[in-house]
Amino acid sequence: MKILFFDDGLNDLIKRENNLMLNSLEKAGAEIKLHTLNSSDAYRLKTSHFQVYDEFLNHAEIEKPDIAFIRGLSFPEYLLSELEVRKTEYKISFIFFLREISRSLARSNIMKKLISLPQIIPFQYSLIGQMQDPPTTWIKTGGSKINYKIINEGLNKDLDKFNYDKEKARDYFGIQKDKFVCLFFGRDDFTKGLDVLIDAFRENLNKNYLLYIQTSKSNREETLGFDNVVFNNFFIEEGLVGKLFKACDLVVLPYRKEYEYSSTWVARLSIMAKCPIVVPNITPFNKLINHFKVGVLFDVEDFSSLANSIKEARSNYDKIMNEADFDGYLDICPSWDELGEDIVSEWKKHLDKENC
């Protein structure tokens, strides 16, 4: 099975995820050829240009793969417009989230039209697997009635990477041992709501709490002068991630409403570290908490509610740790190898059906 892979790894995180996916697909028996973005492709991707998939599809017409694969589809309208004027002799497969289509009936309708095309093999990512309910927009357009495969994101379940003593981990990072430590981990995008978390600490949380921010390419001058805030503005080495999570008591995901129907690698890392989380009361995070009991909810974008939920987590910490079903959640997550096998199996099923 020949696969042309849309390699959009323009930053370290996407490169890492692409490599994990590539390795898993190759182990499952796929023969991979990369479409590496040239300067024109990169410009189009960064500027959301309508020709973003033009060169990729041109490449596919030359290579004639069985599958042209886009790991994360960002612009369904542009792919649809290309396919309406092209004749493809290969299948096109991609993975999509419900996040963008949940915000817009128009975007939802575009995605429904796209995945209805006979040459499309679609996958939908879900943080909580089959427990994920479709958004209203997806139901209204009829997208939820179309047959597509829901998959959990791949996870490297190497729990040894989180096998650290909390006190020793705190010594390593220079974190005070008498503090209740809340971790913010990841990019400082607007949708991640770091400003909401900073406001919660500024207004409502005393010096018994410590906010440890591990981000990159960010500048938060409002944290200067805070005795109970550590702000690290650099990309942490992958080998230190598990140690950092074990050094903390709580991981806070102060995400905004725009993050509804999305997913997060941070929550997965927290669960592998057996560290409770505080997340907004929006789907799928509320279902994650309600079903697996791995943390506390707060009212989205409300810093007072967020502060109260952090206090609640501290007050009920032993109860949360006793009730949390960390292992139950990990059981529904495939390893990267299992995910690759699942995707390749689905491709084979479609190709065999086509050849009958």
Side-chain angles (χ1 to χ4, degrees), residues 33-44:
K33 186 175 183 64
L34 294 181
H35 174 76
T36 304
L37 273 60
N38 59 32
S39 57
S40 178
D41 282 327
Y43 165 76
R44 290 170 177 174

Side-chain angles (χ1 to χ4, degrees), residues 170 176-182 201 204-210 228 249-252 276-278 295-296 306-321:
R170 289 197 177 185
Q176 300 104 307
K177 296 178 182 177
D178 61 340
K179 303 286 188 181
F180 186 81
V181 181
C182 302
F201 265 76
N204 295 79
L205 296 169
N206 61 31
K207 299 193 186 306
N208 292 322
Y209 297 84
L210 175 70
N228 60 336
D249 298 294
L250 191 70
V251 178
V252 185
I277 57 178
V278 172
V296 180
L306 177 54
N308 289 334
S309 293
I310 292 172
K311 292 177 182 177
E312 178 187 346
R314 184 184 185 188
S315 298
N316 299 306
Y317 199 79
D318 290 342
K319 182 175 185 290
I320 292 171
M321 291 299 293

Side-chain angles (χ1 to χ4, degrees), residues 151 235 345 356:
I151 55 176
F235 196 82
S345 175
C356 286

Side-chain angles (χ1 to χ4, degrees), residues 45 190 235 251 304 339 350:
L45 185 62
F190 174 77
F235 196 82
V251 178
S304 295
L339 178 61
H350 282 264

Side-chain angles (χ1 to χ4, degrees), residues 202-322:
R202 179 189 288 120
E203 302 295 335
N204 295 79
L205 296 169
N206 61 31
K207 299 193 186 306
N208 292 322
Y209 297 84
L210 175 70
L211 173 57
Y212 196 98
I213 300 170
Q214 185 67 54
T215 186
S216 63
K217 299 180 181 178
S218 176
N219 180 22
R220 287 282 178 178
E221 292 183 358
E222 65 267 39
T223 63
L224 297 176
F226 268 70
D227 292 337
N228 60 336
V229 176
V230 175
F231 184 84
N232 288 333
N233 181 24
F234 56 84
F235 196 82
I236 189 172
E237 295 177 28
E238 186 175 347
L240 296 176
V241 171
K243 184 178 289 189
L244 177 59
F245 274 73
K246 289 300 288 188
C248 300
D249 298 294
L250 191 70
V251 178
V252 185
L253 288 69
Y255 299 166
R256 283 190 155 83
K257 184 72 165 59
E258 287 87 350
Y259 230 76
E260 192 165 27
Y261 286 100
S262 190
S263 185
T264 170
W265 181 50
V266 178
R268 294 163 178 274
L269 292 172
S270 306
I271 290 171
M272 285 196 289
K274 291 184 166 50
C275 185
I277 57 178
V278 172
V279 291
N281 190 10
I282 55 176
T283 190
F285 308 113
N286 46 15
K287 284 203 169 189
L288 177 66
I289 297 300
N290 292 334
H291 188 86
F292 295 102
K293 312 296 183 186
V294 292
V296 180
L297 298 169
F298 75 95
D299 296 332
V300 63
E301 298 184 40
D302 184 333
F303 72 83
S304 295
S305 174
L306 177 54
N308 289 334
S309 293
I310 292 172
K311 292 177 182 177
E312 178 187 346
R314 184 184 185 188
S315 298
N316 299 306
Y317 199 79
D318 290 342
K319 182 175 185 290
I320 292 171
M321 291 299 293
N322 287 332

Side-chain angles (χ1 to χ4, degrees), residues 98 124 126 128-136 139 261 283 287:
L98 291 174
Q124 179 211 304
S126 170
I128 53 175
Q130 301 297 327
M131 290 186 290
Q132 179 65 69
D133 294 324
T136 302
I139 295 171
Y261 286 100
T283 190
K287 284 203 169 189

Side-chain angles (χ1 to χ4, degrees), residues 17-79:
E17 292 176 348
N18 279 354
N19 287 335
L20 289 167
M21 179 65 79
L22 286 166
N23 289 337
S24 71
L25 295 177
E26 287 179 337
K27 284 183 179 180
E31 180 184 336
I32 307 289
K33 186 175 183 64
L34 294 181
H35 174 76
T36 304
L37 273 60
N38 59 32
S39 57
S40 178
D41 282 327
Y43 165 76
R44 290 170 177 174
L45 185 62
K46 286 183 177 179
T47 60
S48 305
H49 193 281
F50 76 95
Q51 287 181 286
V52 66
Y53 300 121
D54 185 53
E55 288 299 322
F56 175 60
L57 295 175
N58 288 343
H59 193 175
E61 289 175 5
I62 295 170
E63 291 293 334
K64 302 187 184 307
D66 296 302
I67 307 283
F69 180 55
I70 303 170
R71 185 182 63 85
L73 184 69
S74 299
F75 309 106
E77 55 277 358
Y78 298 159
L79 182 59

